[in-house]
Amino acid sequence: MSRPGTTGGVTIQARHQARVAAALQGGGLVEVIALAGVYLAAARAGLSLAAEGSHISAVWLPSGVALGGLLLWGVSRWPAVLLGAWTVALALDVSPLVGLGVAAGATLEAVLGALLLRRVACSRELHRVRDVVWLGGGAALCALLGSGLGSLSLVLGGLVPHAQWAASAWLWWMSNLLGMVLVTPPLLLLFGSWRARWNWTWETWVLPATMVAVCVGVFAFPQPGSGQAHALTFLLFPLSAWAALRCGPRGAALSSLFIALAAIAGTARGLGPFYTVDLLPRGLVVLQLFIGITSLTGLLLAAARAERREAVEMLELLATTVRAVHEGVLICEVREPGVLNTVFVNEALCALVGRRREELVGTAPGALLASPDVSEPRQLEDALREERSLRAEVVLQRPDGTRVWSEMQLSPVRANGEAVTHFVATHRDVTATKELQARLVAAERVAAVGTLAAGVGHEINNPLAYLALNLEAAQRSLAAEGAGAPAGVRDALGSVRGAQEGAERIRLIVRDLRVFSREESPEHGLVDLNALVPPAVRVVLHALRPRARLVESFGKVPRVLGSEARLGQVLLNLLVNAMQAIPEGDPGRHEVRVRTRTDATGHACVEVEDTGGGIPPDVLPRIFDPFFTTKGNEEGTGLGLAICHQIIRAHGGELRVHSVPGQGATFTLLLPPATVRSAGPSPVMASSSRQAARGAEAEEAGLPASSCGRRGRVLIVDDEPRLAQSMRLLLEPFHDVVIVTDGEAALARVGQGESFDVVLCDLQMPGMDGIAVYRRLVAQAPALVSRLVFISGGASSPEGRVFVETVANRVLEKPVRPDVLLATVEATLAGGGPPEVAARGAVGGARRG
């Protein structure tokens, strides 16, 4: 029976010969010798605690030293365990083969335990419950191997009877298990994390003293089997728990080791409650159970406290991080399906919605939403019901009524891995982005409307021009009948004059559209505010009449430097707001008053006053805020007054508002007067300002109704045959007229030697336009260039606008009034023209560049 044991021992040594050599190299030899020495010292201490007349100890301390040493220094130090265990076995007067079997069992026990705990990543700090469980479970499993081989070796060596093999193996297993549970944790905690410092407090002094006193009272007196002594042992459990909860895993390991050594020492000397006459095995088992329960309970409590502390620290870190982030964070708890309760908000969200944390915690998160879009709450409800994530833009309501656009990311939280217990909503303030987007959309709409207005105006100009010219020709023919004309002719003359008035009104409307759609509006020049008011009034007059009467009061105002189109936009917006503030149905009771004057500081002042319901005091301070509106979605976006305020501030002025509830509102526009500069305004806007200033004077002064000079030869170049024919009918009584419909035909006639006194050329034509005709005439017939008059329906290209503003020739804007056309031809024949004609420009007359 001894041969297999010998062969097994030789096989083990041969299998690990290479590892032994590696372990003996360098510092490994020192560690092997040191571990073997500690193993022998622990064995000596364990044997000293053995029961009298027996080599069996309740706790085999070397098993814990072996496992702890291999975990600290590596499994390659296993020869130290083999050497120490064999030496101890030989010291107990057993044969070398039996000793080798016992040593092999102890070595395999420690090696497998170390490999298993490293495999499962058991932490040396034992700060997790799983680490303690793996340590206890791994020790119990590996101790089976060591106790089984050791007790079997003793049976085979004849040292233990076959009948007592099971009892011997049980006690051996329990002693090895408790040795690993008691000794390994202190080694790992004291040497594995030697840098960790003790937190010396009054508890670190009181607790050991109390524990020593209780252990002395329990285990230092001969009271075997005493019920009172057994009761006193329960005092050690709260002390062990105290050490675990207040001092952590190290306190739990050291206190358990001290209690175990005191209990074993007292029992081995016949003292304490666990000593019995038949100590083996009944009394020893009770002692081992006491030690095992005490040590494992302390380690588990310490690990649970450490895990809880780490969890609390992590939660505090997360909470601090969430509080510090710039985005608003809201966490709500699902109380029941469809019912949410806010449990956490960070500072960023409080600042975003303008509320204190106490006001938000405990409330329903939906109370913060103030979205005008009904689809957003519906999407939110669907996401909550379906327990899914949602990204959406919502509007949050502040206590003062202001609204904040927020990009919300809603995420469900499944705390238990199944049901959704919480929802986390992050809010990012995108109000500025929404404002920029709205301004961009508004600018694009204005640009689109301006382009549409310019296109519509251009398309209307041509038919309106020949309509006006034909009406003028019909009026002249009917007027030639004199006072003795039949009644039907007089009625027809009245109808023609009424049609002329309608055509004139259409011309003014088209002119106003072109003023507000002018693309060169960013240019600044001298602007007469008195000239800007009538066009804006005419745009809203048709919608204002069912609501109120319009009262205009014009005073002397200084010219201002600015954009004519932008200032006209402001006036138009103020008039529209005044109109919308008055309900329909009682125009005799309400009025909208427009006044221009110079204030005490010399600023140009325009006031728009209405008799509507006024503006509430709580709304008045926010009247110029972007996106703030008291109108419905169909009437406004809250950008009109904000844009007006921005335009006036860009011009260096101020836009004020005064209102009394129930008595209407007054908007006051103040602009600084223009200062004279050496450089002067830009030629584009200076020309535009001169046109606006002189246009009304020219219309009021009137122009010659017919030619009174010599008869000339006029060439009309226009791609619109009806317009050309209308001009021909108007001019033929006084001049010889030739019509062509394109520029190449006109140049061909000039090239063939035909002479013309006046050339009326359309500026915009397909193929060769008026600009190309002008340039060709400069090269081919320079004498005719000064007699070239352009007719324009509005220059749509940048090149055309620059040409119109810089060319020296007269430019007539469609629709051309008949008297203006006749006067322009007469002035060209005479080689000059009245200043009124030269300055008319955009109001339907002629002008020089």
Side-chain angles (χ1 to χ4, degrees), residues 472-485 489-490 492-493 496-497:
E472 177 69 17
Q475 190 268 342
R476 290 176 182 274
S477 299
L478 294 174
E481 296 291 334
V489 173
R490 290 196 298 272
L493 181 60
V496 170
R497 288 174 178 170

Side-chain angles (χ1 to χ4, degrees), residues 7 45 69 79 98 108 177 219 268 304 333 470 490 584 602 688 744 762 777:
T7 304
V98 173
L108 290 176
L177 169 61
F219 301 114
E333 180 185 8
N470 287 334
R490 290 196 298 272
E584 294 185 4
S688 177
E744 293 182 355
D762 189 11
L777 287 178

Side-chain angles (χ1 to χ4, degrees), residues 470 716 720-730 732 739:
N470 287 334
I716 299 176
E720 184 65 42
R722 294 183 179 178
L723 177 58
Q725 186 63 28
S726 299
M727 289 190 289
R728 177 178 184 176
L729 292 176
L730 179 66
E732 267 191 337
I739 295 177

Side-chain angles (χ1 to χ4, degrees), residues 462 716-721 723-724 727 739-742 760-762 764-765 791 814:
N462 285 332
I716 299 176
V717 186
D718 200 306
D719 64 313
E720 184 65 42
L723 177 58
M727 289 190 289
I739 295 177
V740 293
T741 57
D742 59 81
L760 301 175
C761 182
D762 189 11
Q764 293 178 316
M765 295 182 294
I791 301 176
K814 295 179 181 179

Side-chain angles (χ1 to χ4, degrees), residues 166 168 179 340 440 806:
S168 176
L340 302 178
L440 179 60
T806 56

